[in-house]
Amino acid sequence: MKLSATRMAMLDDGGLGALLREAAAAGHKDLVSSLLKARVSTSLRSTNARSALHMAAENGEAEVCRLLIAIEQGDGADIPDKQGQTALTLCSSQAVRRVLVPTDSDLDVQEASLPNTDHEASAVAVENVSNVTPLMLACREGRLETAQNLVMEGVDIKQRSKRGCTALSMAAEAGHTDLVGLLLKSQKGDSEEDEKRAAFLAAENGQLASLDVLLAQKSVSPRSRDEHGRTLLMHACRCGHSNIIKALLLKVTKQDLMLVDDQGSTVLLESCFVADVDVLRLIIDKLSDGDSAQPDVCKSRKDGTAAVHIAAEHGRADVLRLLLQADVKTHLIGMKRTGGATALFAACEHGQEQAVHALLAAKADVNVHATEEYTGAGKTPLQCAALSANAAIVRVLLDAKAQPNAARDDGMTSLMLACRAGHESVVVELVRKGADINLRRKDGGSALVLACKNGEVSCVTAPFSISAVARLNACPV
């Protein structure tokens, strides 16, 4: 298979690139550091386009991710592998997420150049581009005595950093409950906005003790919303903090769970990203309240994205199985986003094989066609899998009677897409299951023509090799 110069530079299925990926996955920080100092490139990827950052993020190795991000200057978190998964979508912990997507306070502190205030507390704000004060830094780092001295000196507790952070929000985000209590007692005047922001940061970062202290304030309640209409429970669900979710579920009503944000999302939808399936079961039980939870299970955002789409895209086969136990299973399976894509499209496009199995077991239509032109009007799940280079999913779909020669409105078939992209293993699966190499799209191009135009030699020869083997097997001995 011919590779472009960029792909040639990135591909490394063995050697030092493989060693870097293995060290990153295992959390061997010192070895990763040594390899980076030896100038082993972080761009070296495996045959499925996984980088060291992908591996470290998936295994929750925050410190290794920090080393890799520093080398890549923050640009590696959004680069997908062949299944469309990025380090960000793979990350398994909030600590890793903070490395990949720094919070406002992280960015402010990174920009600031602050002196050590451990021994000499100063009432004068340090001049820096981010407006981070010694009090903010002390609260972020959990230095209670330093913070107490600064408060006694009369510093402005409500002062905001460049991105709007305060000492209280930094303390809540880091889970320093004693400092949260100190600042709440010391604040004067209207502090409702600051207290709400601190509560949302505590919920996002799993800081239950700090959140409890803030919920005791009149300005904060489980029904509080941010500027986008999102509740505390929505934030906790999106980040997967089971401790926060369970605590808030005891404080909210069924009506609270049915609230929607500005995009039409709900607590149930937000819980399908990373929240534990047992937590999702609690949410569904709360929504049911003795009745059917069907309307809420089927609810979608403004763009048509429903719980099944989110679960499929993120490989949540356990969540899919739970959702598809409902009496509305047939409706859920057929729900389409804007563009006509069902949950099976999402699973195929993002390489989520277990999600594909769960959806097919629930009788998802394997030959459904999308409608939106930007996705390729008439596109099928098989074509999504072919484009994502996932031969295993292509095989599963074909075994489930996916039509190998189904074409988009422009005449493009799965085989044409795979040949053009150079996905040899996908080409092999398709041809074995009857994909026709002689079909042409509306402009006259065939699969082999597309492969030749892009220099994908292996995709040109693969169909003929398979045909030769088939003829040989058919010959009498």
Side-chain angles (χ1 to χ4, degrees):
M1 180 174 70
K2 174 183 170 292
L3 293 172
S4 67
T6 302
R7 290 177 66 190
M8 186 81 75
M10 292 174 61
L11 185 62
D12 175 68
D13 199 31
L16 292 177
L19 180 58
L20 178 62
R21 290 191 298 274
E22 292 298 321
H28 295 314
K29 182 181 175 182
D30 292 341
L31 178 55
V32 169
S33 180
S34 297
L35 290 168
L36 293 177
K37 287 178 181 177
R39 300 197 175 185
V40 176
S41 174
T42 57
S43 296
L44 292 172
R45 293 170 178 256
S46 64
T47 51
N48 64 354
R50 284 283 180 96
S51 69
L53 187 59
H54 282 98
M55 311 290 276
E58 187 172 28
N59 288 293
E61 300 296 344
E63 291 307 310
V64 172
C65 286
R66 199 182 307 280
L67 286 173
L68 296 168
I69 281 288
I71 295 295
E72 297 185 1
Q73 298 182 331
D75 293 332
D78 294 326
I79 298 176
D81 62 12
K82 284 189 176 180
Q83 279 69 53
Q85 295 279 56
T86 66
L88 188 57
T89 58
L90 287 168
C91 74
S92 57
S93 74
Q94 185 65 14
V96 171
R97 184 173 292 275
R98 286 279 295 271
V99 174
L100 301 178
V101 186
T103 64
D104 287 341
S105 65
D106 293 331
L107 294 172
D108 279 334
V109 171
Q110 286 171 16
E111 288 181 5
S113 177
L114 295 173
N116 190 327
T117 56
D118 277 322
H119 306 295
E120 295 186 12
S122 170
V124 181
V126 179
E127 292 294 333
N128 60 77
V129 294
S130 293
N131 297 325
V132 175
T133 66
L135 179 61
M136 291 178 195
L137 192 61
C139 288
R140 175 184 166 91
E141 297 176 352
R143 291 185 276 110
L144 179 59
E145 185 177 351
T146 299
Q148 288 173 328
N149 290 336
L150 289 165
V151 170
M152 289 178 62
E153 289 181 17
V155 299
D156 183 1
I157 294 175
K158 297 181 181 179
Q159 184 167 335
R160 295 183 178 277
S161 67
K162 175 181 176 180
R163 294 174 177 81
C165 300
T166 63
L168 179 61
S169 69
M170 289 191 179
E173 182 179 56
H176 299 307
T177 309
D178 49 358
L179 284 160
V180 171
L182 168 69
L183 295 168
L184 289 173
K185 291 177 182 177
S186 304
Q187 288 194 129
K188 298 177 182 178
D190 183 16
S191 56
E192 180 176 343
E193 182 182 348
D194 191 17
E195 290 169 3
K196 281 186 178 179
R197 175 171 180 153
F200 281 107
L201 287 169
E204 286 176 8
N205 289 277
Q207 308 297 356
L208 180 57
S210 293
L211 180 59
D212 282 339
V213 172
L214 289 158
L215 283 169
Q217 307 303 305
K218 292 181 179 180
S219 60
V220 182
S221 82
R223 298 162 193 81
S224 295
R225 298 213 199 191
D226 65 11
E227 65 273 22
H228 303 295
R230 296 167 62 79
T231 65
L232 289 168
L233 192 50
M234 288 179 188
H235 280 264
C237 285
R238 185 60 172 266
C239 296
H241 297 305
S242 297
N243 60 336
I244 303 287
I245 298 169
K246 290 176 181 178
L248 289 173
L249 282 174
L250 298 174
K251 303 175 186 291
V252 299
T253 65
K254 176 180 177 179
Q255 286 67 36
D256 295 329
L257 294 185
M258 296 170 67
L259 294 172
V260 298
D261 67 10
D262 294 350
Q263 299 301 315
S265 191
T266 65
V267 166
L268 178 67
L269 291 173
E270 295 298 313
S271 66
C272 291
F273 285 91
V274 294
D276 186 82
V277 69
D278 291 331
V279 168
L280 178 58
R281 189 174 286 108
L282 291 175
I283 292 170
I284 292 176
D285 289 344
K286 185 92 173 183
L287 282 166
S288 299
D289 196 21
D291 300 319
S292 171
Q294 293 177 11
D296 301 291
V297 172
C298 296
K299 191 170 183 62
S300 61
R301 294 192 310 224
K302 292 179 179 179
D303 65 357
T305 299
V308 285
H309 298 112
I310 296 170
E313 184 173 319
H314 290 81
R316 303 297 309 280
D318 53 350
V319 171
L320 284 171
R321 284 189 285 268
L322 175 61
L323 293 171
L324 296 173
Q325 289 176 1
D327 294 337
V328 290
K329 176 176 71 175
T330 302
H331 177 65
L332 283 171
I333 284 291
M335 288 186 73
K336 295 181 178 181
R337 284 170 158 166
T338 301
T342 63
L344 187 57
F345 279 87
C348 292
E349 186 173 352
H350 292 273
Q352 304 294 1
E353 186 176 352
Q354 294 307 310
V356 170
H357 281 291
L359 291 164
L360 292 178
K363 308 301 182 185
D365 185 354
V366 74
N367 289 308
V368 64
H369 287 254
T371 57
E372 189 69 26
E373 290 187 9
Y374 74 81
T375 63
K379 193 175 187 179
T380 66
L382 182 61
Q383 291 171 358
C384 287
L387 274 174
S388 68
N390 198 308
I393 291 181
V394 167
R395 189 181 310 117
V396 169
L397 294 173
L398 290 168
D399 288 343
K401 308 303 179 185
Q403 297 171 3
N405 293 314
R408 296 189 323 204
D409 289 2
D410 61 2
M412 287 287 284
T413 65
S414 298
L415 183 60
M416 293 175 191
L417 293 168
C419 282
R420 184 174 66 179
H423 302 324
E424 181 185 356
S425 59
V426 173
V427 170
V428 169
E429 293 294 336
L430 289 166
V431 173
R432 281 177 176 167
K433 288 290 187 176
D436 189 346
I437 64 173
N438 296 312
L439 290 177
R440 295 179 179 274
R441 60 184 187 182
K442 290 186 176 180
D443 65 0
S446 68
L448 297 183
V449 169
L450 292 170
C452 288
K453 281 185 176 180
N454 287 277
E456 303 295 352
V457 178
S458 61
C459 290
V460 175
T461 58
F464 297 103
S465 299
I466 295 167
S467 297
V469 171
R471 287 195 300 271
L472 182 62
N473 290 335
C475 291
V477 178

